[in-house]
Amino acid sequence: MARRRLRVAVLYPRVMNLYGDRGNVMALQARAAARDVDLEVDSIEIGDGWAPDETDIVLIGGGQDREQRRVQADLHARSRALQDFRDADGVILAVCGGYQLFGRSYRDNHGGVLRGAGVFDMVSIHPGPRIQRCVGNVVALWEGDTLVGFENHGGRSYLNEGTIPLAEVVVGFGNNGGDGLEGARIRNAFGTYLHGALLPKNPRFADRLLQLALQRRYGENELVPLSDAAEIRAHAETLHRSLRGRR
Ligand code: GLN
């Protein structure tokens, strides 16, 4: 079979990258290579061009409010293109600060409202600098499995009716520490508060993103399974530590 190719656009990697978010790109690259798929990475910084038709996966990592304010206008200007990409079943992974900015709006720690890309029908609100931040390990139930990761955010996200959560919180705060929900999903777009990085420790979820992208581009449904000994161990250790910390 001819070597297949996927293209990943990473938005603002110099500004939006916290707690190992860069590892998400590396995990996708390694898992794609193991299936004879070349993963090409385009870094899209403020003002850079972007070719949605040639893109299979869009990634954006976390950033503090200051960084979010820096990228907001550029990101908002791409709203239409990102929503069209979502509606064309493009694969999206948005983490924490990036996730907040992929919603409708984010009211930041100074009370200023940042308009988001509107990929997810949700709003995020920072209750102010004196309120407790949502910090710590997270375990969430996802499709009969668990997602594990680390969260650190002041903003709380609220899904509007009809928006599907990605997972259910077992340990941690997730979207807002109140409704037990973590992340959001619409079509092939996924948002989450989990850093850590997320994909190296959650190989099933990483494969889900790859598989959706390969299906869309090449009509391929099955991924050859990998042995994943190290990944499964990393997942299990994080799970263990998070559950033990709960007692
Ligand atoms: N700035 C956001 C908050 O604190 C997101 C932080 C992050 O991406 N970790 O709510």
Side-chain angles (χ1 to χ4, degrees):
M1 199 195 302
R3 225 176 147 78
R4 291 147 303 160
R5 207 178 64 130
L6 289 177
R7 270 175 84 165
V8 178
V10 185
L11 297 186
Y12 321 116
R14 266 187 280 171
V15 186
M16 300 293 283
N17 171 45
L18 277 179
Y19 314 115
D21 288 336
R22 197 167 291 149
N24 290 332
V25 187
M26 294 159 84
L28 284 179
Q29 230 157 5
R31 303 187 74 77
R35 274 72 172 240
D36 289 333
V37 176
D38 291 324
L39 203 82
E40 288 175 21
V41 180
D42 300 312
S43 294
I44 315 289
E45 299 291 351
I46 293 171
D48 286 351
W50 172 49
D53 290 349
E54 287 160 37
T55 301
D56 299 288
I57 303 175
V58 168
L59 295 182
I60 181 168
Q64 300 301 352
D65 291 34
R66 188 167 23 116
E67 280 86 46
Q68 290 172 295
R69 285 192 281 270
R70 272 179 65 195
V71 303
Q72 183 268 336
D74 186 88
L75 181 67
H76 185 67
R78 301 180 195 269
S79 299
R80 183 82 252 161
L82 285 165
Q83 290 173 25
D84 287 349
F85 181 74
R86 171 202 67 194
D87 292 342
D89 287 330
V91 176
I92 296 175
L93 176 65
V95 175
C96 200
Y99 169 43
Q100 293 170 343
L101 288 182
F102 268 47
R104 294 202 174 279
S105 62
Y106 173 47
R107 198 178 77 202
D108 71 12
N109 56 357
H110 294 166
V113 176
L114 310 183
R115 288 194 298 158
V119 167
F120 302 110
D121 188 9
M122 92 184 176
V123 295
S124 302
I125 296 169
H126 195 304
R130 280 193 296 276
I131 304 295
Q132 190 201 2
R133 291 181 67 79
C134 305
V135 186
N137 292 327
V138 184
V139 176
L141 293 180
W142 169 74
E143 297 190 359
D145 198 347
T146 48
L147 293 177
V148 294
F150 171 77
E151 65 182 333
N152 184 357
H153 52 106
R156 272 73 166 164
S157 295
Y158 301 91
L159 306 182
N160 287 329
E161 218 171 300
T163 303
I164 305 169
L166 173 64
E168 273 170 56
V169 175
V170 179
V171 177
F173 297 86
N175 282 346
N176 53 53
D179 60 18
L181 305 178
E182 157 47 35
R185 173 171 187 184
I186 170 166
R187 303 179 83 115
N188 293 342
F190 301 85
T192 179
Y193 271 107
L194 303 191
H195 301 274
L198 173 70
L199 298 184
K201 299 197 189 77
N202 295 284
R204 257 195 71 205
F205 186 59
D207 274 359
R208 172 60 53 85
L209 302 183
L210 273 182
Q211 182 251 319
L212 288 169
L214 285 168
Q215 193 172 49
R216 174 172 175 260
R217 178 78 54 190
Y218 297 103
E220 224 175 277
N221 293 320
E222 293 287 319
L223 282 184
V224 181
L226 305 179
S227 81
D228 278 337
E231 289 79 0
I232 290 167
R233 205 165 131 209
H235 183 102
E237 278 181 14
T238 314
L239 186 62
H240 191 143
R241 213 177 318 128
S242 311
L243 293 173
R244 199 173 45 197
R246 191 170 61 150
R247 272 192 255 127

